[in-house]
Amino acid sequence: MAGNSLNSVDPEIAGLITAEERRQADTVKLIASENYVSKAVLEATGTVLTNKYSEGYAGKRYYEGQQVIDQIETIAVERAKSLFGVNHANVQPYSGSPANLAIYLAFLNPGDTVLGMGLPFGGHLTHGWSVSATGKWFNSVRYGVRKETGRIDMDEVRALALEHRPKLIFCGGTAIPRTIDFPAFAEVAREVGAVLAADIAHIAGLVAGGAHPSPVGHADVISTTTHKTLRGPRGAMLMATSDEHATALNKAVFPGLQGGPHNHTTAAIAVALHEAAQPDFKAYAAQVVKNAQALADELAGRGFDLVSGGTDNHLILMDLTPKGIGGKPAAKALDRAGLETNYNTVPFDPRKPFDPSGIRIGTPSVTSRGMGEAEMRQIGAWIDEVVTAVAKGDAEDVIGRVHREVSDLTAQFPAPGLS
Ligand SMILES: *Cc1c(COP(=O)(O)O)cnc(C)c1O
């Protein structure tokens, strides 16, 4: 078996991987948290580095044979420090959620208070939401957005912080279409003596590319996934400015939470950080935002109700109530038309999270394919046609036609990393 390819060893899984590759090539992927990694990142992910155990950190490992792994991890760490302008980086967290758990372990005891954005307002589960370990094992307090503006209310954040005296404050989230005001959060955190964690999982690529302000110099610790706008493998990083915070985070990741790091992922993170440091990544980040704004403009012009009225970043959140349809049936119909989105709660959503009022759409993936504003306007028109037809209950013909048109478009814009 040793030398055999996937195709001959396991044709069933090989066939499914090929099918998924074809699906990714043929759909207009508008899921805000996804992207297409480059061939180089993919290649690093599928390597013999997966065979190696390396608990600990470079120069301080618990297993022998780290001559190569130490170099790879050190390069990844140095690239992260240089790209984001931080003094310390840990590239070992398995993903964004474990990275955030490490922040709790580093700075809180069970029962301590955390202030984070509520999930229905755009926060992440790990920011203290009730069903998450972070909401069960810590005393979590949540802020939201103003009903009239759809934007974070910093007066509310400050009032909650003064009332509850959290030890940890999270800013950032998964469905926030507007710029995060890191200095304002830092001021509140300083006032109550809390650690400020900026979770830039969604916007890390925009921060690296200069299309969103950086939390560096404001947040005590920065958490990010590497697989969203940053366009790396599935993984995460924790960054800090002070030695004290960095030491606490390192101990929390290992031995606090994890065993051996995923070295193939570390190598792929290093490659992605190298790519993100190139001049064309700046252009990419700027185009992601331009595309989101063009798409938002097209949708708003077609009567869609955008949370906060538009976007500053890569994502758009829309309430479909005025279109007479829920988010779930809309997302399902769009998917059948080759337009991949996710249904999502909107602030003050009267419906349930599994059947909410909105959908979330993002432009990182379509921008990676080289699409621009003209394509975004076309996509906006397709979204409108499908959603309107589904709301009327007669969508089959429209879905079929849009799917054919979507296929013509995706054929013109090959996705990175796909053959
Ligand atoms: C995606 C995301 C995470 C979690 O990342 P996983 O890799 O899915 O665990 C954490 N925080 C925010 C803000 C995210 O968007």
Side-chain angles (χ1 to χ4, degrees):
M1 289 287 271
N4 290 351
S5 71
L6 179 59
N7 242 329
S8 56
V9 174
D10 192 339
E12 189 178 13
I13 289 296
L16 287 170
I17 292 172
T18 304
E20 171 62 9
E21 189 166 353
R22 196 169 311 127
R23 192 196 66 78
Q24 289 191 18
D26 293 347
T27 45
V28 165
K29 181 156 82 168
L30 296 166
I31 293 185
S33 51
E34 294 185 3
N35 214 327
Y36 297 100
V37 298
S38 67
K39 208 112 220 155
V41 167
L42 265 188
E43 231 177 81
T45 307
T47 59
V48 296
L49 301 179
T50 196
N51 296 338
K52 187 70 195 122
Y53 244 107
S54 53
E55 287 182 342
Y57 294 100
K60 291 167 284 190
R61 306 281 190 189
Y62 292 80
Y63 296 74
E64 296 313 310
Q66 310 297 342
Q67 296 86 343
V68 177
I69 298 299
D70 274 5
Q71 294 182 61
I72 290 171
E73 189 172 325
T74 302
I75 290 170
V77 166
E78 291 306 318
R79 286 179 183 172
K81 284 159 61 177
S82 135
L83 184 66
F84 288 95
V86 290
N87 298 332
H88 301 278
N90 184 317
V91 297
Q92 293 191 5
Y94 298 143
S95 214
S97 304
N100 284 349
L101 266 186
I103 297 175
Y104 287 84
L105 186 59
F107 304 109
L108 270 61
N109 289 310
D112 283 347
T113 300
V114 56
L115 176 60
M117 195 176 204
L119 185 75
F121 291 101
H124 192 259
L125 285 160
T126 54
H127 298 181
W129 192 241
S130 50
V131 298
S132 153
T134 62
K136 290 181 193 253
W137 296 344
F138 299 92
N139 173 40
S140 76
V141 180
R142 294 126 195 179
Y143 58 88
V145 296
R146 267 204 196 107
K147 196 159 193 174
E148 322 81 67
T149 61
R151 294 175 188 241
I152 294 170
D153 179 348
M154 287 310 300
D155 293 335
E156 183 199 14
V157 173
R158 180 166 179 268
L160 287 169
L162 288 171
E163 184 187 345
H164 298 281
R165 313 297 298 192
K167 271 197 175 171
L168 172 65
I169 299 176
F170 266 101
C171 60
T174 62
I176 307 174
R178 295 297 180 176
T179 303
I180 307 296
D181 189 348
F182 298 120
F185 274 99
E187 204 178 306
V188 172
R190 223 168 292 126
E191 195 175 349
V192 299
V195 169
L196 177 63
D199 182 348
I200 61 168
H202 259 260
I203 56 173
L206 305 184
V207 171
H212 187 289
S214 169
V216 177
H218 307 293
D220 299 299
V221 303
I222 299 165
S223 162
T224 186
T225 57
T226 47
H227 47 272
K228 298 180 184 174
T229 50
L230 194 55
R231 221 158 61 179
R234 303 199 83 82
M237 306 195 296
L238 285 166
M239 297 178 276
T241 303
S242 84
D243 296 352
E244 183 197 340
H245 289 136
T247 303
L249 289 171
N250 285 344
K251 279 190 189 151
V253 172
F254 177 85
L257 277 175
Q258 299 189 171
H262 294 178
N263 297 309
H264 54 303
T265 300
T266 303
I269 288 174
V271 175
L273 292 169
H274 175 70
E275 291 175 346
Q278 305 310 310
D280 62 353
F281 196 84
K282 268 197 166 42
Y284 167 69
Q287 191 62 46
V288 166
V289 176
K290 275 195 233 162
N291 280 351
Q293 289 174 341
L295 183 51
D297 189 61
E298 184 68 31
L299 290 165
R302 290 170 174 275
F304 282 92
D305 179 11
L306 311 191
V307 171
S308 84
T311 179
D312 299 327
N313 55 28
H314 63 298
L315 79 81
I316 298 161
L317 188 59
M318 358 194 245
D319 184 349
L320 297 179
T321 309
K323 292 277 179 182
I325 185 170
K328 195 173 191 173
K332 290 203 172 299
L334 288 167
D335 190 47
R336 288 176 53 224
L339 300 160
E340 195 183 0
T341 64
N342 67 277
Y343 58 87
N344 214 101
T345 53
V346 295
F348 308 99
D349 204 324
R351 301 167 65 121
K352 295 263 181 312
F354 202 61
D355 183 24
S357 300
I359 58 173
R360 186 185 69 162
I361 52 190
T363 53
S365 298
V366 288
T367 308
S368 288
R369 297 181 84 137
M371 294 183 194
E373 285 115 300
E375 288 74 35
M376 296 308 113
R377 296 204 174 271
Q378 176 60 71
I379 289 167
W382 285 330
I383 291 174
D384 186 24
E385 286 179 68
V386 172
V387 167
T388 304
V390 177
K392 281 194 192 131
D394 179 23
E396 289 318 297
D397 291 352
V398 173
I399 287 172
R401 175 181 49 79
V402 169
H403 203 172
R404 286 191 294 278
E405 291 173 6
V406 164
S407 297
D408 289 342
L409 181 73
T410 53
Q412 291 169 52
F413 292 91
L418 306 189
S419 37

